[in-house]
Amino acid sequence: MLYKKFSFFIFLILLSNSLLAQTRFSSKSCLDSSYKMKMTRKGPLFGLLQQEFVIDKKYCIIHITHRKYLPKEWVVDVCREPVHIKVTSATGVDVAKKEADCLKKDNSRDTSDFCSQYFSMMDVIQDDGLIFANGDRDNLYSDHGRTYCSYLLLKKYLNESIIFSRYTEVPDIFLEKSKVMSSEPSAPAVAPDAPATAPENQQSKLAPEKGATEGVL
């Protein structure tokens, strides 16, 4: 009897995991998740050096580690103001605070310290994570899904300056900024001011004809 209950319990767990894997993770579940994923592959010097990519996420805090020649680490708390990145390298720990948008209107990149760290970290996540991670992108139980979750949160926080909170409604992390802007209703066209005086053809109709009252005495 006990064996049957245990088997049924295991079946329910497997069934729930299967159902979760068939649906895309939500913005809330992404923010509330905690996980650690590690990927290694052959690196420089004809593969003699090992290249390592690690994401260690605990709720709002996302810790990215990348080892190629020398190890480098980025720590971002997507629930903390002001928007900033903590960078750990061979020289120590530095804090890069956001001062302005990194991508300008002409699509050129800002070269400030914050933007330099932002582009460097996001390139690592794309090149070493999203491209090589195994599994379904929409499944939070796969390496690909966990990488994608962290990537979306970082884009919203660092690029769009959205401060998250686990205790309020979580913004849609799947909605692109350009789509948000394009969905805003445009201002109604303002009609030109009415002319101060009526047009000449209307004035001629309103004015009495010359000599119309001459015969009236």
Side-chain angles (χ1 to χ4, degrees), residues 176-203:
E176 295 290 340
K177 184 178 180 181
S178 58
K179 294 181 181 179
V180 174
M181 295 176 63
S182 62
S183 63
E184 296 178 356
S186 57
V190 179
D193 295 336
T197 58
E200 294 181 0
N201 58 347
Q202 293 184 8
Q203 289 182 356

mmCIF file of all heavy atoms in Angstrom, residues 176-203:
data_model
loop_
_atom_site.group_PDB
_atom_site.id
_atom_site.type_symbol
_atom_site.label_atom_id
_atom_site.label_comp_id
_atom_site.label_asym_id
_atom_site.label_seq_id
_atom_site.Cartn_x
_atom_site.Cartn_y
_atom_site.Cartn_z
ATOM 1 N N GLU A 176 9.327 43.812 -25.890
ATOM 2 C CA GLU A 176 10.447 44.645 -26.320
ATOM 3 C C GLU A 176 10.140 46.118 -26.094
ATOM 4 O O GLU A 176 8.990 46.541 -26.180
ATOM 5 C CB GLU A 176 10.749 44.405 -27.804
ATOM 6 C CG GLU A 176 11.248 43.001 -28.122
ATOM 7 C CD GLU A 176 12.637 42.745 -27.593
ATOM 8 O OE1 GLU A 176 13.362 43.726 -27.321
ATOM 9 O OE2 GLU A 176 12.997 41.566 -27.443
ATOM 10 N N LYS A 177 11.187 46.898 -25.859
ATOM 11 C CA LYS A 177 11.027 48.324 -25.598
ATOM 12 C C LYS A 177 10.436 49.039 -26.793
ATOM 13 O O LYS A 177 9.586 49.909 -26.656
ATOM 14 C CB LYS A 177 12.384 48.941 -25.243
ATOM 15 C CG LYS A 177 12.299 50.415 -24.854
ATOM 16 C CD LYS A 177 13.668 50.943 -24.459
ATOM 17 C CE LYS A 177 13.590 52.404 -24.061
ATOM 18 N NZ LYS A 177 14.921 52.937 -23.689
ATOM 19 N N SER A 178 10.865 48.676 -28.010
ATOM 20 C CA SER A 178 10.361 49.337 -29.210
ATOM 21 C C SER A 178 8.873 49.105 -29.369
ATOM 22 O O SER A 178 8.138 49.983 -29.791
ATOM 23 C CB SER A 178 11.098 48.815 -30.446
ATOM 24 O OG SER A 178 10.956 47.402 -30.562
ATOM 25 N N LYS A 179 8.387 47.895 -28.999
ATOM 26 C CA LYS A 179 6.978 47.590 -29.111
ATOM 27 C C LYS A 179 6.170 48.367 -28.092
ATOM 28 O O LYS A 179 5.056 48.776 -28.328
ATOM 29 C CB LYS A 179 6.747 46.093 -28.937
ATOM 30 C CG LYS A 179 7.343 45.263 -30.055
ATOM 31 C CD LYS A 179 7.064 43.780 -29.852
ATOM 32 C CE LYS A 179 7.674 42.946 -30.968
ATOM 33 N NZ LYS A 179 7.434 41.502 -30.791
ATOM 34 N N VAL A 180 6.782 48.567 -26.900
ATOM 35 C CA VAL A 180 6.100 49.356 -25.883
ATOM 36 C C VAL A 180 5.913 50.783 -26.358
ATOM 37 O O VAL A 180 4.861 51.391 -26.208
ATOM 38 C CB VAL A 180 6.903 49.345 -24.562
ATOM 39 C CG1 VAL A 180 6.278 50.272 -23.544
ATOM 40 C CG2 VAL A 180 6.961 47.924 -24.016
ATOM 41 N N MET A 181 6.962 51.332 -26.966
ATOM 42 C CA MET A 181 6.900 52.708 -27.429
ATOM 43 C C MET A 181 5.916 52.856 -28.586
ATOM 44 O O MET A 181 5.164 53.822 -28.664
ATOM 45 C CB MET A 181 8.285 53.176 -27.851
ATOM 46 C CG MET A 181 9.291 53.237 -26.707
ATOM 47 S SD MET A 181 10.944 53.682 -27.265
ATOM 48 C CE MET A 181 10.661 55.321 -27.889
ATOM 49 N N SER A 182 5.916 51.864 -29.501
ATOM 50 C CA SER A 182 5.040 51.975 -30.659
ATOM 51 C C SER A 182 3.587 51.773 -30.296
ATOM 52 O O SER A 182 2.701 52.175 -31.027
ATOM 53 C CB SER A 182 5.449 50.940 -31.710
ATOM 54 O OG SER A 182 5.302 49.625 -31.200
ATOM 55 N N SER A 183 3.319 51.136 -29.129
ATOM 56 C CA SER A 183 1.941 50.894 -28.737
ATOM 57 C C SER A 183 1.293 52.097 -28.080
ATOM 58 O O SER A 183 0.099 52.115 -27.836
ATOM 59 C CB SER A 183 1.880 49.709 -27.758
ATOM 60 O OG SER A 183 2.581 50.020 -26.565
ATOM 61 N N GLU A 184 2.094 53.110 -27.754
ATOM 62 C CA GLU A 184 1.534 54.301 -27.147
ATOM 63 C C GLU A 184 0.719 55.078 -28.171
ATOM 64 O O GLU A 184 1.158 55.269 -29.305
ATOM 65 C CB GLU A 184 2.653 55.192 -26.598
ATOM 66 C CG GLU A 184 3.440 54.527 -25.468
ATOM 67 C CD GLU A 184 4.563 55.410 -24.997
ATOM 68 O OE1 GLU A 184 4.742 56.481 -25.618
ATOM 69 O OE2 GLU A 184 5.234 55.065 -24.022
ATOM 70 N N PRO A 185 -0.481 55.538 -27.785
ATOM 71 C CA PRO A 185 -1.303 56.270 -28.752
ATOM 72 C C PRO A 185 -0.650 57.581 -29.140
ATOM 73 O O PRO A 185 -0.096 58.285 -28.307
ATOM 74 C CB PRO A 185 -2.614 56.512 -27.985
ATOM 75 C CG PRO A 185 -2.228 56.416 -26.537
ATOM 76 C CD PRO A 185 -1.115 55.413 -26.467
ATOM 77 N N SER A 186 -0.690 57.883 -30.393
ATOM 78 C CA SER A 186 -0.093 59.128 -30.865
ATOM 79 C C SER A 186 -1.017 60.290 -30.553
ATOM 80 O O SER A 186 -2.234 60.140 -30.459
ATOM 81 C CB SER A 186 0.147 59.050 -32.376
ATOM 82 O OG SER A 186 -1.078 58.771 -33.043
ATOM 83 N N ALA A 187 -0.430 61.460 -30.379
ATOM 84 C CA ALA A 187 -1.217 62.638 -30.039
ATOM 85 C C ALA A 187 -2.102 63.029 -31.216
ATOM 86 O O ALA A 187 -1.674 62.945 -32.370
ATOM 87 C CB ALA A 187 -0.274 63.802 -29.689
ATOM 88 N N PRO A 188 -3.356 63.411 -30.938
ATOM 89 C CA PRO A 188 -4.249 63.781 -32.043
ATOM 90 C C PRO A 188 -3.743 65.010 -32.773
ATOM 91 O O PRO A 188 -3.132 65.901 -32.183
ATOM 92 C CB PRO A 188 -5.580 64.074 -31.325
ATOM 93 C CG PRO A 188 -5.194 64.385 -29.918
ATOM 94 C CD PRO A 188 -3.987 63.560 -29.620
ATOM 95 N N ALA A 189 -3.971 65.009 -34.047
ATOM 96 C CA ALA A 189 -3.517 66.142 -34.850
ATOM 97 C C ALA A 189 -4.273 67.398 -34.441
ATOM 98 O O ALA A 189 -5.482 67.374 -34.230
ATOM 99 C CB ALA A 189 -3.759 65.844 -36.329
ATOM 100 N N VAL A 190 -3.535 68.489 -34.284
ATOM 101 C CA VAL A 190 -4.140 69.756 -33.869
ATOM 102 C C VAL A 190 -4.570 70.526 -35.108
ATOM 103 O O VAL A 190 -3.758 70.767 -36.010
ATOM 104 C CB VAL A 190 -3.139 70.596 -33.045
ATOM 105 C CG1 VAL A 190 -3.778 71.920 -32.634
ATOM 106 C CG2 VAL A 190 -2.692 69.811 -31.833
ATOM 107 N N ALA A 191 -5.836 70.872 -35.158
ATOM 108 C CA ALA A 191 -6.344 71.606 -36.317
ATOM 109 C C ALA A 191 -5.769 73.006 -36.330
ATOM 110 O O ALA A 191 -5.572 73.619 -35.279
ATOM 111 C CB ALA A 191 -7.873 71.685 -36.251
ATOM 112 N N PRO A 192 -5.454 73.541 -37.497
ATOM 113 C CA PRO A 192 -4.907 74.901 -37.569
ATOM 114 C C PRO A 192 -5.931 75.910 -37.071
ATOM 115 O O PRO A 192 -7.134 75.701 -37.141
ATOM 116 C CB PRO A 192 -4.616 75.092 -39.064
ATOM 117 C CG PRO A 192 -5.488 74.091 -39.756
ATOM 118 C CD PRO A 192 -5.615 72.929 -38.821
ATOM 119 N N ASP A 193 -5.400 76.992 -36.505
ATOM 120 C CA ASP A 193 -6.285 78.044 -35.982
ATOM 121 C C ASP A 193 -7.166 78.592 -37.090
ATOM 122 O O ASP A 193 -6.740 78.761 -38.236
ATOM 123 C CB ASP A 193 -5.450 79.192 -35.385
ATOM 124 C CG ASP A 193 -4.668 78.708 -34.177
ATOM 125 O OD1 ASP A 193 -5.107 77.716 -33.566
ATOM 126 O OD2 ASP A 193 -3.622 79.310 -33.877
ATOM 127 N N ALA A 194 -8.425 78.891 -36.757
ATOM 128 C CA ALA A 194 -9.360 79.459 -37.734
ATOM 129 C C ALA A 194 -8.909 80.855 -38.124
ATOM 130 O O ALA A 194 -8.381 81.598 -37.300
ATOM 131 C CB ALA A 194 -10.756 79.516 -37.137
ATOM 132 N N PRO A 195 -9.049 81.207 -39.355
ATOM 133 C CA PRO A 195 -8.606 82.553 -39.776
ATOM 134 C C PRO A 195 -9.401 83.640 -39.046
ATOM 135 O O PRO A 195 -10.577 83.477 -38.738
ATOM 136 C CB PRO A 195 -8.908 82.569 -41.280
ATOM 137 C CG PRO A 195 -9.916 81.482 -41.485
ATOM 138 C CD PRO A 195 -9.630 80.447 -40.459
ATOM 139 N N ALA A 196 -8.710 84.733 -38.748
ATOM 140 C CA ALA A 196 -9.341 85.811 -37.989
ATOM 141 C C ALA A 196 -10.442 86.483 -38.802
ATOM 142 O O ALA A 196 -11.420 86.969 -38.260
ATOM 143 C CB ALA A 196 -8.290 86.845 -37.573
ATOM 144 N N THR A 197 -10.303 86.512 -40.117
ATOM 145 C CA THR A 197 -11.299 87.158 -40.967
ATOM 146 C C THR A 197 -11.803 86.173 -41.992
ATOM 147 O O THR A 197 -11.103 85.226 -42.359
ATOM 148 C CB THR A 197 -10.704 88.386 -41.677
ATOM 149 O OG1 THR A 197 -9.576 87.961 -42.447
ATOM 150 C CG2 THR A 197 -10.271 89.439 -40.671
ATOM 151 N N ALA A 198 -12.991 86.342 -42.439
ATOM 152 C CA ALA A 198 -13.560 85.448 -43.441
ATOM 153 C C ALA A 198 -12.873 85.658 -44.775
ATOM 154 O O ALA A 198 -12.347 86.728 -45.054
ATOM 155 C CB ALA A 198 -15.070 85.728 -43.589
ATOM 156 N N PRO A 199 -12.811 84.635 -45.609
ATOM 157 C CA PRO A 199 -12.188 84.791 -46.935
ATOM 158 C C PRO A 199 -12.879 85.872 -47.751
ATOM 159 O O PRO A 199 -14.017 86.251 -47.487
ATOM 160 C CB PRO A 199 -12.393 83.401 -47.557
ATOM 161 C CG PRO A 199 -12.596 82.473 -46.393
ATOM 162 C CD PRO A 199 -13.271 83.284 -45.350
ATOM 163 N N GLU A 200 -12.145 86.348 -48.764
ATOM 164 C CA GLU A 200 -12.662 87.457 -49.562
ATOM 165 C C GLU A 200 -13.969 87.101 -50.253
ATOM 166 O O GLU A 200 -14.866 87.936 -50.360
ATOM 167 C CB GLU A 200 -11.613 87.865 -50.615
ATOM 168 C CG GLU A 200 -10.347 88.447 -50.002
ATOM 169 C CD GLU A 200 -9.372 88.849 -51.072
ATOM 170 O OE1 GLU A 200 -9.699 88.660 -52.253
ATOM 171 O OE2 GLU A 200 -8.293 89.360 -50.736
ATOM 172 N N ASN A 201 -14.108 85.847 -50.736
ATOM 173 C CA ASN A 201 -15.334 85.489 -51.435
ATOM 174 C C ASN A 201 -16.528 85.501 -50.496
ATOM 175 O O ASN A 201 -17.642 85.806 -50.879
ATOM 176 C CB ASN A 201 -15.187 84.134 -52.116
ATOM 177 C CG ASN A 201 -14.846 83.050 -51.102
ATOM 178 O OD1 ASN A 201 -14.502 83.365 -49.972
ATOM 179 N ND2 ASN A 201 -14.939 81.808 -51.545
ATOM 180 N N GLN A 202 -16.283 85.159 -49.180
ATOM 181 C CA GLN A 202 -17.376 85.224 -48.211
ATOM 182 C C GLN A 202 -17.680 86.668 -47.848
ATOM 183 O O GLN A 202 -18.824 87.040 -47.639
ATOM 184 C CB GLN A 202 -17.016 84.423 -46.957
ATOM 185 C CG GLN A 202 -16.917 82.923 -47.218
ATOM 186 C CD GLN A 202 -16.650 82.166 -45.942
ATOM 187 O OE1 GLN A 202 -16.687 82.751 -44.858
ATOM 188 N NE2 GLN A 202 -16.400 80.873 -46.078
ATOM 189 N N GLN A 203 -16.633 87.520 -47.762
ATOM 190 C CA GLN A 203 -16.845 88.928 -47.439
ATOM 191 C C GLN A 203 -17.666 89.611 -48.523
ATOM 192 O O GLN A 203 -18.542 90.426 -48.251
ATOM 193 C CB GLN A 203 -15.491 89.641 -47.282
ATOM 194 C CG GLN A 203 -14.746 89.230 -46.009
ATOM 195 C CD GLN A 203 -13.449 89.991 -45.884
ATOM 196 O OE1 GLN A 203 -13.087 90.751 -46.781
ATOM 197 N NE2 GLN A 203 -12.773 89.815 -44.771
#
